[in-house]
Structure formats: structure tokens, C-alpha cells
Amino acid sequence: MSTIALYYPWMRFRNENWLKLAILTWDSVGRIQPRLTMDVDSELVTQLRAETDFLFGVEPSRREIVAVADVFREIVELGGDDLRKRFSWQQAVEETSGERAVSGPRADYPGLRWVYAGQSGPKMTPPLLSSFEAADLAVVVDEDDAVYVGLHPALARIYLTALADVVSQHRALAPATDDVDAHSAVGTLDRLYELLLDEDVAVPAIGDVEGAYIHLAVEASIRPDHLETVPLDTLISFRDRYGGELAAFRAHVASLSADLGTIAAIEDPVVAEKHLQSVYNAKTRPQLDELRHALRALGVESGIGLLGIKVDISKSTAGTLLGAGLAATGSPAAMAGGTALAVGSYVADRRKARRAAHRESPVSYLLAVDKELSGRSLIDRMRRRGR
């Protein structure tokens, strides 16, 4: 299981909540991004890039874009007419009413998605560009000495997903997306003919099932409506503090490979999500509940009394040298001092046990997410005070 993701099919993140969850899921996230691309990222992405090395750019190698181009060019030669019926660039422009997503020459072609094909880090080869253009599948513009290829959105999604498939395989990355219309990138190049010419092609909904499972489990531990209010600095700090717990949770997810393996073939994304939730309810949630129960049992209850702690001193000191000495002296001062020592020892032991329970549980990462990022702990404290 790779701990580094490759974002696809687009270059700019569409869902900032998804990106925040990705910060809690992956060690880092790459995206296919030419060096000379203008910086039009959101404030969140700009801050994340400035303060961490979580995001990084990937430039496809010539070998990678040629591998994709060879298959596409063959399909264009075989099914040019059928492809035009589904993916002509004119059709996309006609279906778009007045949309102007970009400025400059590209603004004259609303509704298209643009693929960089310039000199520095291109995503497409010149021969494939020419094939697309000759088949009326693309319009090419030269903007500020940079070449862009405009494609029908569906064709652009398939092309960039195929490119992500090749890049992720060559670089041992896990494809990940926030585009609900994107299918699994894994194996896209192998099924490219069916994707382009067969509307009923069967495609698995999830490529990296283990990564999707971690994403789901983390999301289950946090209030989605609260996540958008969590500052980026808080997420970055949390990652730094709980890296070990995340590694332990990944090992737990790896142990579920037999359960998760069958989900990788499911084509319906809704059904696949239901199956992931079912595995979570059966395998992970019980361990999380067990950890919560164990920590409550080891908890130190606050209340009125010595040091503000409720402890049965007779039980905590019985059978010890301290307990025998206190019983022999009968001195109130000695009893008070001894009680303080007993309480201190009792609290230290309980805290040590709690730390051990955290350390040994494979799901302690989820508990930390729930406690520190969900916003529930503050609400619970307020409710307890009210009672």
C-alpha cells in the first residue's frame, strides 16, 4: 500500500474538504503539473504549499506520455467517426451557454477542458495532438508561447485518468480523486478502447481500496460540517504529532486485505461505499469502541476531594508498606501525607496504563481525530458542566 497519492484527473483541487481529509490520510499528495503553470491555486492550497512539503508536482516523462499516446492514436484511427459523435470539441462548446472559465484565447471555446502540451513538462505528445485535431476531437491554441489542447470534458477526463494510471504505476503512487464523475484510474489504459467506444463498459469504482478505507474511517471520526472550520495549522500540527498512530492504523487496514479485496471489483460507487462502511462497522469500529471503553475504565474521575480526584484510598494502599505504616501510626498528618502519595502513585499508574492502551491499539489514530478535530469533545465538556 502506497502512502503517497497522485491526485487526478485535474490539476487543481475541486473540493477543499477532500484535501483536508487527504492531509489526515496520506503522507503526501502529488499532482501532474507542468513547471511553467501559472499559480492560480486557492488560498488553502497556497498556504499548504508554503508551509509544508505535503503537495508536490509531477511532470510526466516522455516514456509515460508516449505510452498513453500510442494507445489513443490507434483508437482514433480505428473509431474516428464514433469518437466524433461522442467527444467532438464543437459539441462541448455548443452545449455550454456563455461559460468563460479562462481568459485569453481559450475563452473563445467555453466548455472545453485544457491539457498543456508545451515544451516544459507537456501532458500530451505532438503526434497525438495532431491526431486529435485532425479527427475534430481537439482545438489547439497558443497562449503566451504555451500550447494548450482543448478537449470535450469527458474525453479530457478519460485522457488524464489514463495518464494518471501510467504515471502512478511507474512511480508507485496511489491514484486518488475528489471528482465524483471520475472512475478508478487503475487499469484505465488497458480498458481504453471500451471506455472511449463502449458506453456500457464495466469499470471498478475504486482503485486504491485501502486508501479509500482510511479516508472513510477518518471521515467517520470527524464531523464533516465541522472540518471546513478547522484551520490548516491545526491539521498540520495534528499530522506531525500523530504520524506513528497513522502508521499503526495503516497496518490495521493492511490486515483487512481479504475483506477489502472483493470491493475492488465493484463498479457502482454507492455500493462500493456501502461495502467499505460495512467492513468498518464490523472490523474497525468495534476496536475503536473497545479502546474508548478501556480508556474510560482507566480514566481518573474528577470530583470534590483530595487533589480533586475520586480514589478509593483503602484499596489503592491496601497490602503495601505505605498502607501498613499508615494503619500503625494512626496520625492524621501521616494519613494525609500518605494519602497524597497514594493518590499520586495511583494517578501515575493509571496514566501509564492509558498511554500503553493508546500505543498498543491500532485504531488510536481515529480516536485522536475524534477527540481533537471533530469538535465533539468541547460539546461533551459543556454538556457535563451543564449536568
Side-chain angles (χ1 to χ4, degrees), residues 14-59:
R14 297 188 161 200
N15 186 323
E16 290 197 344
N17 265 10
W18 182 93
L19 180 57
K20 285 186 171 183
L21 278 172
I23 294 171
L24 303 174
T25 303
W26 305 100
D27 285 345
S28 53
V29 172
R31 49 182 176 162
I32 299 177
Q33 182 180 29
R35 272 168 287 171
L36 300 182
T37 301
M38 293 181 64
D39 185 2
V40 291
D41 283 328
S42 68
E43 290 184 11
L44 176 72
V45 175
T46 301
Q47 181 184 353
L48 187 59
R49 289 173 53 199
E51 298 180 10
T52 74
D53 58 358
F54 178 73
L55 297 177
F56 64 97
V58 175
E59 285 191 1

Side-chain angles (χ1 to χ4, degrees), residues 239-257:
R239 275 173 50 85
D240 293 340
R241 288 162 53 204
Y242 291 100
E245 285 81 354
L246 177 56
F249 182 60
R250 287 190 181 123
H252 163 72
V253 175
S255 72
L256 304 177
S257 57

Side-chain angles (χ1 to χ4, degrees), residues 64-105:
E64 290 163 345
I65 59 175
V66 166
V68 176
D70 287 345
V71 181
F72 265 94
R73 290 183 68 195
E74 182 178 342
I75 296 173
V76 170
E77 291 176 5
L78 292 173
D81 291 338
D82 291 332
L83 287 175
R84 265 191 299 275
K85 291 177 183 177
R86 295 185 64 186
F87 304 117
S88 73
W89 67 266
Q90 293 97 333
Q91 177 182 336
V93 171
E94 290 170 1
E95 292 173 351
T96 305
S97 56
E99 178 185 344
R100 291 292 185 271
V102 294
S103 59

Side-chain angles (χ1 to χ4, degrees), residues 183-201:
H183 62 265
S184 165
V186 177
T188 295
L189 198 63
D190 295 331
R191 63 174 74 92
L192 195 55
Y193 184 89
E194 290 79 6
L195 285 170
L196 291 170
L197 296 173
D198 184 357
E199 296 184 7
D200 299 321
V201 61

Side-chain angles (χ1 to χ4, degrees), residues 184-362:
S184 165
V186 177
T188 295
L189 198 63
D190 295 331
R191 63 174 74 92
L192 195 55
Y193 184 89
E194 290 79 6
L195 285 170
L196 291 170
L197 296 173
D198 184 357
E199 296 184 7
D200 299 321
V201 61
V203 180
I206 301 175
D208 179 33
V209 180
E210 291 187 357
Y213 186 80
I214 295 176
H215 206 84
L216 177 143
V218 170
E219 189 170 24
S221 300
I222 192 170
R223 293 165 51 207
D225 60 328
H226 176 73
L227 181 59
E228 63 184 55
T229 67
V230 178
L232 181 59
D233 293 342
T234 300
L235 296 176
I236 294 172
S237 174
F238 184 88
R239 275 173 50 85
D240 293 340
R241 288 162 53 204
Y242 291 100
E245 285 81 354
L246 177 56
F249 182 60
R250 287 190 181 123
H252 163 72
V253 175
S255 72
L256 304 177
S257 57
D259 300 277
L260 298 176
T262 56
I263 301 175
I266 296 176
E267 302 160 21
D268 187 323
V270 175
V271 174
E273 185 87 3
K274 293 289 185 183
H275 279 285
L276 287 176
Q277 185 68 52
S278 179
V279 174
Y280 173 80
N281 290 338
K283 302 292 185 178
T284 300
R285 187 171 180 175
Q287 292 198 48
L288 186 57
D289 291 340
E290 182 181 344
L291 176 60
R292 285 195 181 103
H293 178 75
L295 293 177
R296 280 197 298 267
L298 292 170
V300 180
E301 296 181 304
S302 62
I304 299 174
L306 184 62
L307 300 183
I309 295 174
K310 290 181 179 177
V311 181
D312 188 340
I313 300 302
S314 62
K315 291 182 180 179
S316 64
T317 61
T320 67
L321 290 175
L322 174 62
L326 296 178
T329 63
S331 166
M335 289 292 288
T339 299
L341 289 174
V343 170
S345 176
Y346 176 88
V347 172
D349 288 343
R350 301 290 266 195
R351 287 176 176 168
K352 185 182 297 183
R354 285 173 64 89
R355 285 195 296 269
H358 263 291
R359 186 171 57 250
E360 294 168 6
S361 172

Side-chain angles (χ1 to χ4, degrees), residues 10 72 86-87 92 111 113 151-161 183 195-196:
W10 316 111
F72 265 94
R86 295 185 64 186
F87 304 117
R113 296 294 178 265
L151 302 174
H152 188 290
L155 179 58
R157 182 180 285 107
I158 294 174
Y159 177 80
L160 293 172
T161 299
H183 62 265
L195 285 170
L196 291 170

Side-chain angles (χ1 to χ4, degrees), residues 89 105-106 109 112 114-115 117-118 124-126 128-134 137-143 146-151:
W89 67 266
R106 286 180 284 166
Y109 305 95
L112 301 187
W114 298 92
V115 178
M124 183 181 293
T125 65
L128 179 59
L129 181 158
S130 299
S131 294
F132 275 160
E133 193 174 22
L137 296 173
V139 59
V140 180
V141 301
D142 191 329
E143 185 174 289
V147 177
Y148 291 92
V149 184
L151 302 174

